[in-house]
Each structure stands twice: as structure tokens, then as C-alpha cells.
Amino acid sequence: MLDTIRKIGAAFRLPGEATACDTITNGNINATCRVTYRNPDGSTKQYIFQRVNTAVFSDPVKIMQNIDRVTSYIREKYPEEPTLHFHHTADGKNYVFSDENAFWRVMNCVDAVTFDTCDDLSVIEATGKAFGHFQNQLADFDGSQLYETIPDFHNTKKRLDTLFSHAEQDPCGRVAEVQEELGFIATVREEAGALSVRYASGEFPVRVTHNDTKSNNVLFDRETRRPIVVIDLDTVMPGMAMYDFADAVRFIANTAAEDEPDLSRVSFDTEKFRAFCRGFLGEVGSRLTQPELDSLVQASFSITVELASRFLDDYITGDKYFKVNYPAHNLVRTRCQLALAKDILAKRAELEQIVREAK
Ligand code: GN1
Ligand code: MG
């Protein structure tokens, strides 16, 4: 591994010598590692090396162009705020192809902590602030400049249509064992897809959104526990404001991990939801339209069903999209997300009330 890393580092003209490489395992798509370089004077510097999954991101060069546009825009408009810094090759590219034709990029490693789970409500509120702030930073950015990295990424209706059509084809003979899951999704199919249908008909503003707002995509200062910067900009595209809110609470307000097999541990924590609301709406609440504000809870339900259906679709079609650590991983993830979606439905009235109070 270090051999490949060294060649890539050389293409980016990184000074010093690569001495260690630690894998970062919390992404489900790209391969990421933190690499330490030692300079001749003994000092060290760390970089993040990432191999982009080109089966998922079919045009990674355009993704890097998007990221460049977004980070340059933020840098110009908010020069005092940190942005991600990608390295460039001698011919000015912010990516290289390795000998094996894999697509690599390198950015500076920010000394920070991230939270996969978190019981500290003030950190959750700060996470809401960070994602809200990110939307604010890009509020006037012209989204038509952005290439759509994964078309229909959060088109829930289309995701559900795809699931049911693959279930009919049953390419891996796995459909018989997922009847219960498919049955439940069928009963909520219309409700879960409704916002995406309304978005397509122009009922909600098209915003520039992050689209992958897991809490571990915010870097925090180790000491102050203040957010430093939002990372993972691969899916920054035009989208619905409320889906960024929704994907974040889907992840952070779950009392268990996203792939918890013991469903008795999975529930939607209303106090975590309240804390995130406070942070997010404190930033963007005054910019959102009333229909957007009124859809935050439904969006939380919708994106949870959407992700369940993406995991289930991947299970049915042979685990080609998400990294899996064991054979039934996608099925376990599906069940966890469905249990969470059910709990969001059960708590809907209470959650609506929390949104009204947070506004
Ligand atoms: C994927 O790889 P990661 O963790 O950044 C996925 C998200 C899902 C998430 C679920 C491009 O994100 O949409 O919400 O897994 N990203 C893509 O953990 O599909
Ligand atoms: Mg991501």
C-alpha cells in the first residue's frame, strides 16, 4: 500500500517521505487513508489520500471540478473560514490516476475529531449549525454550475420504483427472504416519495445542498468542540434543503448505529432531534420557506425509507454499491433503517411540535 501511496504523493509533489498509512473506515463508498509524511528536519505532516469509487461516481474529474468551484467560492466569500485544501499535480490537476488506473486525490489533513455517535446535545446542536451554515455559505452560489454527480440521488420516488422493479426481477434469488421489508415499504411508498414528487413539480426551491450530512462529515476542534469545516463534498448538488436536515437527524438521532442488528436498540431520540433542530434552524430557519419548514419531519421519514430502500436494493442486486463487512450487512442496514422510520412515524406529532418550537 505504501508503495502506491508514495507514487501518488510524488505526483502531487508532497515533500518528505511517507512513513505510515492508517485506513479510515467510516465511509461506505470511497477508500480513505491518513498518511504521515516525515520531512528531512524530522517534522511531520499528515494528508488524506482518497481513492474515489468510480463505479459509484462515474465522472470523478467533474466531481473534482465541482469541489474546486464550491471551495473556491467559499474561500473568496468567507476568506477567514477554513475550506478543504486539495493538492495539485505539476500540470495543475487536483487528481491523478494510479498505475492501476484508480482515481486518487489528496487533501491536507485537518487536526480534528469527528463523531459517529454522540450523546452530547451541544455537539449535536453544533452539527446542526455546521450543516445549516454550509447551506448559508452556498445560498447565492449558482447551482447550474455544478455537475450532477449522481443523477436523482435523492429522488426518493425513483429510488423506490427502482427497488420494486429489481424486486420483480430478483436477480440473486434473495427476494423471498425480504418479503416483510418490501411489504412495509410498499405501504409507505407514496408517503415517502411525496416530497420528491413535489420538488420535481417545483413546489420547493432548488438549493445547493450537501446531500450526505452524516455527523462524521463535520470536523470538530479537539478542545473547543466547535465545528471547523464540513467535509465530503462529492454529492454537493442542487437539492432540497430539508433533505440535508433529514439525513443528518436520521443518523445523529438514531439511538443505535446505522447498521445495528439488535432492533430493540434502534429508536429516534427526540431530544437529539430537538438539539439538531435548534442548531440547523438557528442558521437557516429564516431563509427557508414555510412549505420547507413544514416538511422537515416528513423529510426525515422519507430519507430514512429512501436509505432503507437503497440498502435493500443493493442486497437484492448482489451488494455492488455499498461496502459490506459480512454477507447480510445490507439487509441488517435495511432493517435498522426501517425500524427507525417506523419510530419517526410513531413520534411524528411530537417531532412536528419540536420543529414549531425551534423556529
Ligand atoms: C454513503 O460513503 P459515505 O458514508 O460518505 C452514501 C450516502 C449514504 C451513506 C449511508 C455517494 O455515504 O448516500 O447515506 O453511505 N453515499 C453515496 O451510510 O451513495
Ligand atoms: Mg459521502
Side-chain angles (χ1 to χ4, degrees), residues 5 8-9 12 14 24 30-37 45-52 63-64 67 71 75 83-89 93-96 103-111 216-217 219 229-234:
I5 292 288
I8 292 170
F12 286 112
L14 303 182
I24 296 176
N30 297 324
T32 308
C33 48
R34 186 188 297 109
V35 181
T36 305
Y37 271 72
K45 184 170 158 103
Q46 292 191 311
Y47 300 90
I48 299 294
F49 279 55
Q50 234 178 3
R51 193 184 69 224
V52 175
I63 289 186
M64 293 313 291
I67 293 178
T71 53
R75 237 188 318 273
T83 50
L84 298 183
H85 179 94
F86 285 89
H87 287 268
H88 288 79
T89 59
K93 296 195 174 78
N94 53 5
Y95 58 87
V96 288
F103 185 98
W104 286 85
R105 62 188 175 197
V106 172
M107 66 190 122
N108 282 347
C109 180
V110 178
D111 180 36
N216 52 24
N217 279 334
L219 302 186
V229 67
V230 168
I231 60 168
D232 190 358
L233 307 181
D234 294 332

Side-chain angles (χ1 to χ4, degrees), residues 27-30 57 210-212 214 217 232-235:
N28 289 326
I29 309 286
N30 297 324
F57 295 110
H210 183 279
N211 294 305
D212 188 6
K214 297 203 285 197
N217 279 334
D232 190 358
L233 307 181
D234 294 332
T235 50

Side-chain angles (χ1 to χ4, degrees), residues 87-248:
H87 287 268
H88 288 79
T89 59
D91 55 355
K93 296 195 174 78
N94 53 5
Y95 58 87
V96 288
F97 285 95
S98 69
D99 292 346
E100 300 77 34
N101 208 30
F103 185 98
W104 286 85
R105 62 188 175 197
V106 172
M107 66 190 122
N108 282 347
C109 180
V110 178
D111 180 36
V113 278
T114 56
F115 298 94
D116 293 325
T117 56
C118 185
D119 290 324
D120 182 341
L121 294 181
S122 64
V123 168
I124 295 177
E125 182 173 341
T127 306
K129 254 180 121 117
F131 284 126
H133 183 60
F134 184 77
Q135 281 195 1
N136 281 343
Q137 287 181 319
L138 295 173
D140 296 322
F141 181 87
D142 173 12
S144 68
Q145 286 186 37
L146 295 177
Y147 154 76
E148 204 176 350
T149 58
I150 301 181
D152 289 314
F153 189 56
H154 285 317
N155 183 340
T156 309
K157 178 181 183 302
K158 201 160 174 184
R159 294 280 191 186
L160 292 166
D161 291 349
T162 305
L163 168 70
F164 285 104
S165 121
H166 287 157
E168 246 168 58
Q169 294 157 13
D170 193 12
C172 301
R174 289 177 164 181
V175 170
E177 63 175 307
V178 299
Q179 285 306 308
E180 206 180 312
E181 290 72 22
L182 282 171
F184 173 74
I185 296 174
T187 64
V188 296
R189 184 173 179 178
E190 210 172 303
E191 171 75 2
L195 292 176
S196 63
V197 173
R198 290 172 60 195
Y199 175 68
S201 74
E203 261 188 65
F204 300 111
V206 178
R207 312 232 183 232
V208 176
T209 49
H210 183 279
N211 294 305
D212 188 6
T213 48
K214 297 203 285 197
S215 55
N216 52 24
N217 279 334
V218 180
L219 302 186
F220 278 85
D221 186 289
R222 281 180 199 285
E223 262 124 56
T224 64
R225 289 202 155 194
R226 278 225 177 74
I228 304 172
V229 67
V230 168
I231 60 168
D232 190 358
L233 307 181
D234 294 332
T235 50
V236 174
M237 283 181 281
M240 284 181 268
M242 57 276 192
Y243 264 42
D244 269 5
F245 170 92
D247 204 23

